[in-house]
Amino acid sequence: MKSLFTLFILISSISVSAQQQSVLPDDLYENLPFPMEKIKLPTFPNNTVNIKDFGAKDDGNTLCTEAFAKAIDALAAKNGGKLIVPRGLWLTGPIVLKSNINLHIERGGVIIFSPDFSLYPLIETSFEGFDTRRCQSPLSAKEAENIAITGEGVIDGSGEAWRPVKKEKMTDRQWKELLASGGVLNDKRNIWWPTASALHGSLDVIDQNVPKARDEAGWLAIKDFLRPVMVSLVSCKNVWLDGVTFQNSPAWNIHPLMCENLVISNLTVRNPWYSQNGDGLDVESCKNVVVYNSNFDVGDDAICIKSGKNEDGRRRAMPTENLIVKGCVVYHGHGGFVVGSEMSGGVRNVKVSECTFMGTDVGLRFKSTRGRGGIVENIWISDINMTNIPAEPLLFDLFYGGKSAIEAKEDEAAGLSVKSTLSMPIDETTPQFRNINIKNIVCKGAGRAMYFNGLPEMNVKNVSLENVYIQADTGAVISETDGITIKNVTIVPKIGDPIIFKNTKNINEQ
């Protein structure tokens, strides 16, 4: 009996060890080029409740908002535990997580957030780097500790009810069906909006999707325009997202903001390819982050690193720092791994390795513009494979104007993109990108091999390229760069020179 018990304990230990191994492998922190403490996964009290025990129905039609709130409150009263969402379709309004709660969605379980805008009140928040107001996120937590969203189920944000759609991204048949479904059309820009309120909000913005400040009546008049990120985690500590599929978000999919000790593992993150602002993961002003073994197929940037925009970001002064990204696959997206454009609080100490980008507009995308400020530094990227990249496998664009790389490239070809070659005064609003190490990169099929476009007054500085092989339509253009080391770099363009240097100094070719 004793030996059987010992065997049971041993098997259990191996099982737990294997589970931990699948989330945070032993080699994750090996040869890390910056100091970073190992993140401990959150633990929870041994309390379990089932959403069905609180009156929830799995018919996809009965609103379960109250049941989720009661279940979370019941667990919180016991100092936390696991909330099980079993197989079924669970329609709900906003869910707010509390400390020590693990929202666990079993295989076959689907949480569908209601498309009823009235369920999502306006709140003070941050979006696209600005302090502003938006509708409450479908799933959120603020100042919570030890929280998790785990399992093998699906979270769906009903994003099609919120998002605008550009005609150019639809077939004729799809566009006709969309117009027939209702909504209103901005004829000048050929953009469909779900309501007149949403269209009205789009006409008076300070920066893309952030409207000018107004009184309460003014905010309510454009409420439908203020579509939220699907998962908003603000100032949380010890957070674990594992195994779940996050899809169909109103705006960004997952947005950790000012969080510490964050693990993203084994996720599937999806949005339609045409979804406006349909980012996958936006890590903003966070410290100690691991993004591991996850798949992304989205309508905008996939894995995006931010830290606030312009004065609001500089005032917050919280960089994203100590970040590991490993073993991820990105399919469609504007960028595979992206820094910016909201990086006014800075980004530092980042390691990206063993990732694959297949069909993303850009592979490694660094973007900003005058007015941001902020310093991006100490970035290590290695062992990246890419295929079918329409724009560039590697892009530094310090003249980012809010468009995708494909749209910007089309403007450039049409002579619509005018970028000043005059130096401007350097001050706190000048963005800086420096000390970036890139090696072991393979790309089969790209538009342009690389494009570096720094500012005349603040070049991209100290970039190392080692063991790089790229097949592309045209070669690399390295412009406004100070200090670039090129070692064992092979670029095979269909036409033109492999590399063209413009206003670049301190070139070290080995």
Side-chain angles (χ1 to χ4, degrees), residues 191-217:
I191 299 178
W192 174 90
W193 292 88
T195 68
S197 170
L199 171 59
H200 177 56
S202 72
L203 301 178
D204 190 21
V205 297
I206 56 173
D207 192 295
Q208 296 189 64
N209 297 291
V210 178
K212 296 178 181 178
R214 56 202 70 209
D215 59 20
E216 186 67 19

PDB file of all heavy atoms in Angstrom, residues 191-217:
ATOM      1  N   ILE A 191     -16.300  53.635 -45.748  1.00  0.00           N
ATOM      2  CA  ILE A 191     -16.214  52.876 -44.499  1.00  0.00           C
ATOM      3  C   ILE A 191     -17.619  52.684 -43.941  1.00  0.00           C
ATOM      4  O   ILE A 191     -18.375  53.652 -43.810  1.00  0.00           O
ATOM      5  CB  ILE A 191     -15.330  53.584 -43.459  1.00  0.00           C
ATOM      6  CG1 ILE A 191     -13.895  53.738 -43.992  1.00  0.00           C
ATOM      7  CG2 ILE A 191     -15.325  52.818 -42.143  1.00  0.00           C
ATOM      8  CD1 ILE A 191     -12.971  54.478 -43.041  1.00  0.00           C
ATOM      9  N   TRP A 192     -17.962  51.442 -43.647  1.00  0.00           N
ATOM     10  CA  TRP A 192     -19.249  51.116 -43.029  1.00  0.00           C
ATOM     11  C   TRP A 192     -19.125  51.188 -41.518  1.00  0.00           C
ATOM     12  O   TRP A 192     -18.124  50.726 -40.948  1.00  0.00           O
ATOM     13  CB  TRP A 192     -19.666  49.712 -43.447  1.00  0.00           C
ATOM     14  CG  TRP A 192     -20.916  49.208 -42.769  1.00  0.00           C
ATOM     15  CD1 TRP A 192     -22.194  49.346 -43.196  1.00  0.00           C
ATOM     16  CD2 TRP A 192     -20.983  48.451 -41.551  1.00  0.00           C
ATOM     17  NE1 TRP A 192     -23.070  48.736 -42.323  1.00  0.00           N
ATOM     18  CE2 TRP A 192     -22.344  48.176 -41.305  1.00  0.00           C
ATOM     19  CE3 TRP A 192     -20.023  47.986 -40.641  1.00  0.00           C
ATOM     20  CZ2 TRP A 192     -22.775  47.447 -40.188  1.00  0.00           C
ATOM     21  CZ3 TRP A 192     -20.449  47.271 -39.534  1.00  0.00           C
ATOM     22  CH2 TRP A 192     -21.804  47.014 -39.320  1.00  0.00           C
ATOM     23  N   TRP A 193     -20.133  51.793 -40.889  1.00  0.00           N
ATOM     24  CA  TRP A 193     -20.180  51.866 -39.430  1.00  0.00           C
ATOM     25  C   TRP A 193     -21.456  51.210 -38.937  1.00  0.00           C
ATOM     26  O   TRP A 193     -22.507  51.308 -39.584  1.00  0.00           O
ATOM     27  CB  TRP A 193     -20.131  53.327 -38.962  1.00  0.00           C
ATOM     28  CG  TRP A 193     -18.812  53.976 -39.236  1.00  0.00           C
ATOM     29  CD1 TRP A 193     -18.437  54.630 -40.377  1.00  0.00           C
ATOM     30  CD2 TRP A 193     -17.675  54.001 -38.366  1.00  0.00           C
ATOM     31  NE1 TRP A 193     -17.133  55.068 -40.277  1.00  0.00           N
ATOM     32  CE2 TRP A 193     -16.641  54.692 -39.053  1.00  0.00           C
ATOM     33  CE3 TRP A 193     -17.426  53.513 -37.088  1.00  0.00           C
ATOM     34  CZ2 TRP A 193     -15.383  54.912 -38.478  1.00  0.00           C
ATOM     35  CZ3 TRP A 193     -16.176  53.732 -36.515  1.00  0.00           C
ATOM     36  CH2 TRP A 193     -15.173  54.419 -37.221  1.00  0.00           C
ATOM     37  N   PRO A 194     -21.416  50.556 -37.773  1.00  0.00           N
ATOM     38  CA  PRO A 194     -22.602  49.829 -37.305  1.00  0.00           C
ATOM     39  C   PRO A 194     -23.768  50.732 -36.918  1.00  0.00           C
ATOM     40  O   PRO A 194     -24.925  50.304 -37.013  1.00  0.00           O
ATOM     41  CB  PRO A 194     -22.089  49.031 -36.107  1.00  0.00           C
ATOM     42  CG  PRO A 194     -20.841  49.728 -35.675  1.00  0.00           C
ATOM     43  CD  PRO A 194     -20.250  50.313 -36.908  1.00  0.00           C
ATOM     44  N   THR A 195     -23.486  51.982 -36.477  1.00  0.00           N
ATOM     45  CA  THR A 195     -24.563  52.909 -36.100  1.00  0.00           C
ATOM     46  C   THR A 195     -24.162  54.332 -36.466  1.00  0.00           C
ATOM     47  O   THR A 195     -22.981  54.628 -36.703  1.00  0.00           O
ATOM     48  CB  THR A 195     -24.846  52.873 -34.578  1.00  0.00           C
ATOM     49  OG1 THR A 195     -23.726  53.434 -33.878  1.00  0.00           O
ATOM     50  CG2 THR A 195     -25.105  51.462 -34.085  1.00  0.00           C
ATOM     51  N   ALA A 196     -25.146  55.233 -36.464  1.00  0.00           N
ATOM     52  CA  ALA A 196     -24.878  56.645 -36.723  1.00  0.00           C
ATOM     53  C   ALA A 196     -24.029  57.247 -35.616  1.00  0.00           C
ATOM     54  O   ALA A 196     -23.190  58.126 -35.859  1.00  0.00           O
ATOM     55  CB  ALA A 196     -26.193  57.410 -36.855  1.00  0.00           C
ATOM     56  N   SER A 197     -24.210  56.783 -34.379  1.00  0.00           N
ATOM     57  CA  SER A 197     -23.402  57.251 -33.259  1.00  0.00           C
ATOM     58  C   SER A 197     -21.927  56.916 -33.463  1.00  0.00           C
ATOM     59  O   SER A 197     -21.036  57.735 -33.193  1.00  0.00           O
ATOM     60  CB  SER A 197     -23.893  56.635 -31.947  1.00  0.00           C
ATOM     61  OG  SER A 197     -22.996  56.878 -30.880  1.00  0.00           O
ATOM     62  N   ALA A 198     -21.656  55.714 -33.943  1.00  0.00           N
ATOM     63  CA  ALA A 198     -20.272  55.313 -34.205  1.00  0.00           C
ATOM     64  C   ALA A 198     -19.656  56.167 -35.308  1.00  0.00           C
ATOM     65  O   ALA A 198     -18.515  56.627 -35.197  1.00  0.00           O
ATOM     66  CB  ALA A 198     -20.228  53.838 -34.576  1.00  0.00           C
ATOM     67  N   LEU A 199     -20.407  56.386 -36.392  1.00  0.00           N
ATOM     68  CA  LEU A 199     -19.913  57.242 -37.471  1.00  0.00           C
ATOM     69  C   LEU A 199     -19.655  58.653 -36.970  1.00  0.00           C
ATOM     70  O   LEU A 199     -18.614  59.251 -37.283  1.00  0.00           O
ATOM     71  CB  LEU A 199     -20.918  57.268 -38.618  1.00  0.00           C
ATOM     72  CG  LEU A 199     -20.646  58.284 -39.738  1.00  0.00           C
ATOM     73  CD1 LEU A 199     -19.300  58.051 -40.389  1.00  0.00           C
ATOM     74  CD2 LEU A 199     -21.764  58.248 -40.773  1.00  0.00           C
ATOM     75  N   HIS A 200     -20.560  59.198 -36.176  1.00  0.00           N
ATOM     76  CA  HIS A 200     -20.413  60.553 -35.655  1.00  0.00           C
ATOM     77  C   HIS A 200     -19.128  60.683 -34.838  1.00  0.00           C
ATOM     78  O   HIS A 200     -18.394  61.669 -34.963  1.00  0.00           O
ATOM     79  CB  HIS A 200     -21.631  60.905 -34.797  1.00  0.00           C
ATOM     80  CG  HIS A 200     -21.556  62.256 -34.155  1.00  0.00           C
ATOM     81  ND1 HIS A 200     -21.371  63.420 -34.878  1.00  0.00           N
ATOM     82  CD2 HIS A 200     -21.637  62.636 -32.851  1.00  0.00           C
ATOM     83  CE1 HIS A 200     -21.342  64.461 -34.050  1.00  0.00           C
ATOM     84  NE2 HIS A 200     -21.489  64.001 -32.814  1.00  0.00           N
ATOM     85  N   GLY A 201     -18.827  59.685 -34.022  1.00  0.00           N
ATOM     86  CA  GLY A 201     -17.612  59.730 -33.219  1.00  0.00           C
ATOM     87  C   GLY A 201     -16.345  59.726 -34.039  1.00  0.00           C
ATOM     88  O   GLY A 201     -15.335  60.311 -33.659  1.00  0.00           O
ATOM     89  N   SER A 202     -16.398  59.105 -35.204  1.00  0.00           N
ATOM     90  CA  SER A 202     -15.200  59.001 -36.044  1.00  0.00           C
ATOM     91  C   SER A 202     -14.831  60.306 -36.721  1.00  0.00           C
ATOM     92  O   SER A 202     -13.721  60.440 -37.244  1.00  0.00           O
ATOM     93  CB  SER A 202     -15.411  57.930 -37.114  1.00  0.00           C
ATOM     94  OG  SER A 202     -16.332  58.370 -38.109  1.00  0.00           O
ATOM     95  N   LEU A 203     -15.726  61.275 -36.707  1.00  0.00           N
ATOM     96  CA  LEU A 203     -15.509  62.505 -37.464  1.00  0.00           C
ATOM     97  C   LEU A 203     -14.790  63.591 -36.673  1.00  0.00           C
ATOM     98  O   LEU A 203     -14.470  64.642 -37.217  1.00  0.00           O
ATOM     99  CB  LEU A 203     -16.862  63.043 -37.948  1.00  0.00           C
ATOM    100  CG  LEU A 203     -17.673  62.084 -38.837  1.00  0.00           C
ATOM    101  CD1 LEU A 203     -19.006  62.717 -39.201  1.00  0.00           C
ATOM    102  CD2 LEU A 203     -16.891  61.706 -40.083  1.00  0.00           C
ATOM    103  N   ASP A 204     -14.536  63.350 -35.373  1.00  0.00           N
ATOM    104  CA  ASP A 204     -13.938  64.397 -34.543  1.00  0.00           C
ATOM    105  C   ASP A 204     -12.966  63.763 -33.563  1.00  0.00           C
ATOM    106  O   ASP A 204     -13.269  63.590 -32.378  1.00  0.00           O
ATOM    107  CB  ASP A 204     -15.038  65.161 -33.795  1.00  0.00           C
ATOM    108  CG  ASP A 204     -14.509  66.417 -33.105  1.00  0.00           C
ATOM    109  OD1 ASP A 204     -13.447  66.915 -33.512  1.00  0.00           O
ATOM    110  OD2 ASP A 204     -15.158  66.880 -32.151  1.00  0.00           O
ATOM    111  N   VAL A 205     -11.792  63.376 -34.059  1.00  0.00           N
ATOM    112  CA  VAL A 205     -10.813  62.675 -33.235  1.00  0.00           C
ATOM    113  C   VAL A 205      -9.510  63.464 -33.174  1.00  0.00           C
ATOM    114  O   VAL A 205      -9.210  64.277 -34.051  1.00  0.00           O
ATOM    115  CB  VAL A 205     -10.525  61.261 -33.783  1.00  0.00           C
ATOM    116  CG1 VAL A 205     -11.781  60.404 -33.746  1.00  0.00           C
ATOM    117  CG2 VAL A 205      -9.972  61.317 -35.201  1.00  0.00           C
ATOM    118  N   ILE A 206      -8.749  63.213 -32.100  1.00  0.00           N
ATOM    119  CA  ILE A 206      -7.438  63.862 -31.984  1.00  0.00           C
ATOM    120  C   ILE A 206      -6.343  62.989 -32.586  1.00  0.00           C
ATOM    121  O   ILE A 206      -5.295  63.484 -32.982  1.00  0.00           O
ATOM    122  CB  ILE A 206      -7.100  64.191 -30.520  1.00  0.00           C
ATOM    123  CG1 ILE A 206      -7.154  62.933 -29.642  1.00  0.00           C
ATOM    124  CG2 ILE A 206      -8.028  65.259 -29.969  1.00  0.00           C
ATOM    125  CD1 ILE A 206      -6.678  63.152 -28.226  1.00  0.00           C
ATOM    126  N   ASP A 207      -6.592  61.671 -32.634  1.00  0.00           N
ATOM    127  CA  ASP A 207      -5.568  60.764 -33.142  1.00  0.00           C
ATOM    128  C   ASP A 207      -6.215  59.421 -33.454  1.00  0.00           C
ATOM    129  O   ASP A 207      -6.482  58.636 -32.555  1.00  0.00           O
ATOM    130  CB  ASP A 207      -4.449  60.590 -32.110  1.00  0.00           C
ATOM    131  CG  ASP A 207      -3.228  59.898 -32.686  1.00  0.00           C
ATOM    132  OD1 ASP A 207      -3.363  58.726 -33.061  1.00  0.00           O
ATOM    133  OD2 ASP A 207      -2.157  60.517 -32.764  1.00  0.00           O
ATOM    134  N   GLN A 208      -6.490  59.177 -34.698  1.00  0.00           N
ATOM    135  CA  GLN A 208      -7.068  57.915 -35.166  1.00  0.00           C
ATOM    136  C   GLN A 208      -8.372  57.577 -34.468  1.00  0.00           C
ATOM    137  O   GLN A 208      -9.425  58.008 -34.888  1.00  0.00           O
ATOM    138  CB  GLN A 208      -6.042  56.785 -35.016  1.00  0.00           C
ATOM    139  CG  GLN A 208      -4.806  56.991 -35.901  1.00  0.00           C
ATOM    140  CD  GLN A 208      -3.901  55.785 -35.912  1.00  0.00           C
ATOM    141  OE1 GLN A 208      -4.278  54.723 -36.366  1.00  0.00           O
ATOM    142  NE2 GLN A 208      -2.688  55.946 -35.410  1.00  0.00           N
ATOM    143  N   ASN A 209      -8.328  56.840 -33.365  1.00  0.00           N
ATOM    144  CA  ASN A 209      -9.548  56.337 -32.742  1.00  0.00           C
ATOM    145  C   ASN A 209      -9.850  56.954 -31.384  1.00  0.00           C
ATOM    146  O   ASN A 209     -10.707  56.454 -30.664  1.00  0.00           O
ATOM    147  CB  ASN A 209      -9.459  54.817 -32.592  1.00  0.00           C
ATOM    148  CG  ASN A 209      -9.370  54.116 -33.930  1.00  0.00           C
ATOM    149  OD1 ASN A 209     -10.316  54.099 -34.705  1.00  0.00           O
ATOM    150  ND2 ASN A 209      -8.207  53.555 -34.215  1.00  0.00           N
ATOM    151  N   VAL A 210      -9.148  58.015 -31.033  1.00  0.00           N
ATOM    152  CA  VAL A 210      -9.360  58.667 -29.745  1.00  0.00           C
ATOM    153  C   VAL A 210     -10.009  60.026 -29.987  1.00  0.00           C
ATOM    154  O   VAL A 210      -9.418  60.902 -30.624  1.00  0.00           O
ATOM    155  CB  VAL A 210      -8.040  58.831 -28.982  1.00  0.00           C
ATOM    156  CG1 VAL A 210      -8.272  59.551 -27.656  1.00  0.00           C
ATOM    157  CG2 VAL A 210      -7.400  57.464 -28.745  1.00  0.00           C
ATOM    158  N   PRO A 211     -11.245  60.247 -29.486  1.00  0.00           N
ATOM    159  CA  PRO A 211     -11.946  61.502 -29.759  1.00  0.00           C
ATOM    160  C   PRO A 211     -11.473  62.631 -28.858  1.00  0.00           C
ATOM    161  O   PRO A 211     -10.820  62.414 -27.833  1.00  0.00           O
ATOM    162  CB  PRO A 211     -13.410  61.146 -29.457  1.00  0.00           C
ATOM    163  CG  PRO A 211     -13.322  60.066 -28.440  1.00  0.00           C
ATOM    164  CD  PRO A 211     -12.078  59.280 -28.763  1.00  0.00           C
ATOM    165  N   LYS A 212     -11.802  63.835 -29.268  1.00  0.00           N
ATOM    166  CA  LYS A 212     -11.514  65.004 -28.438  1.00  0.00           C
ATOM    167  C   LYS A 212     -12.357  64.949 -27.169  1.00  0.00           C
ATOM    168  O   LYS A 212     -13.444  64.380 -27.144  1.00  0.00           O
ATOM    169  CB  LYS A 212     -11.812  66.286 -29.217  1.00  0.00           C
ATOM    170  CG  LYS A 212     -10.917  66.489 -30.439  1.00  0.00           C
ATOM    171  CD  LYS A 212     -11.300  67.750 -31.194  1.00  0.00           C
ATOM    172  CE  LYS A 212     -10.416  67.935 -32.427  1.00  0.00           C
ATOM    173  NZ  LYS A 212     -10.813  69.142 -33.213  1.00  0.00           N
ATOM    174  N   ALA A 213     -11.847  65.578 -26.110  1.00  0.00           N
ATOM    175  CA  ALA A 213     -12.593  65.641 -24.853  1.00  0.00           C
ATOM    176  C   ALA A 213     -13.878  66.434 -25.058  1.00  0.00           C
ATOM    177  O   ALA A 213     -13.933  67.358 -25.874  1.00  0.00           O
ATOM    178  CB  ALA A 213     -11.729  66.278 -23.770  1.00  0.00           C
ATOM    179  N   ARG A 214     -14.919  66.089 -24.302  1.00  0.00           N
ATOM    180  CA  ARG A 214     -16.214  66.741 -24.441  1.00  0.00           C
ATOM    181  C   ARG A 214     -16.990  66.575 -23.132  1.00  0.00           C
ATOM    182  O   ARG A 214     -16.545  65.872 -22.219  1.00  0.00           O
ATOM    183  CB  ARG A 214     -16.982  66.139 -25.612  1.00  0.00           C
ATOM    184  CG  ARG A 214     -17.165  64.638 -25.513  1.00  0.00           C
ATOM    185  CD  ARG A 214     -17.418  64.023 -26.873  1.00  0.00           C
ATOM    186  NE  ARG A 214     -16.218  64.075 -27.709  1.00  0.00           N
ATOM    187  CZ  ARG A 214     -16.231  64.146 -29.036  1.00  0.00           C
ATOM    188  NH1 ARG A 214     -17.375  64.193 -29.682  1.00  0.00           N
ATOM    189  NH2 ARG A 214     -15.114  64.196 -29.726  1.00  0.00           N
ATOM    190  N   ASP A 215     -18.153  67.195 -23.053  1.00  0.00           N
ATOM    191  CA  ASP A 215     -18.959  67.047 -21.847  1.00  0.00           C
ATOM    192  C   ASP A 215     -19.670  65.699 -21.864  1.00  0.00           C
ATOM    193  O   ASP A 215     -19.585  64.935 -22.830  1.00  0.00           O
ATOM    194  CB  ASP A 215     -19.955  68.202 -21.702  1.00  0.00           C
ATOM    195  CG  ASP A 215     -20.927  68.319 -22.885  1.00  0.00           C
ATOM    196  OD1 ASP A 215     -21.113  67.330 -23.620  1.00  0.00           O
ATOM    197  OD2 ASP A 215     -21.495  69.419 -23.065  1.00  0.00           O
ATOM    198  N   GLU A 216     -20.414  65.398 -20.779  1.00  0.00           N
ATOM    199  CA  GLU A 216     -21.021  64.081 -20.648  1.00  0.00           C
ATOM    200  C   GLU A 216     -21.985  63.793 -21.791  1.00  0.00           C
ATOM    201  O   GLU A 216     -22.005  62.678 -22.336  1.00  0.00           O
ATOM    202  CB  GLU A 216     -21.745  63.987 -19.305  1.00  0.00           C
ATOM    203  CG  GLU A 216     -22.297  62.606 -18.985  1.00  0.00           C
ATOM    204  CD  GLU A 216     -21.209  61.567 -18.769  1.00  0.00           C
ATOM    205  OE1 GLU A 216     -20.041  61.955 -18.516  1.00  0.00           O
ATOM    206  OE2 GLU A 216     -21.513  60.360 -18.864  1.00  0.00           O
ATOM    207  N   ALA A 217     -22.778  64.774 -22.157  1.00  0.00           N
ATOM    208  CA  ALA A 217     -23.717  64.578 -23.261  1.00  0.00           C
ATOM    209  C   ALA A 217     -22.973  64.283 -24.558  1.00  0.00           C
ATOM    210  O   ALA A 217     -23.414  63.470 -25.378  1.00  0.00           O
ATOM    211  CB  ALA A 217     -24.608  65.805 -23.417  1.00  0.00           C
TER     212      ALA A 217
END
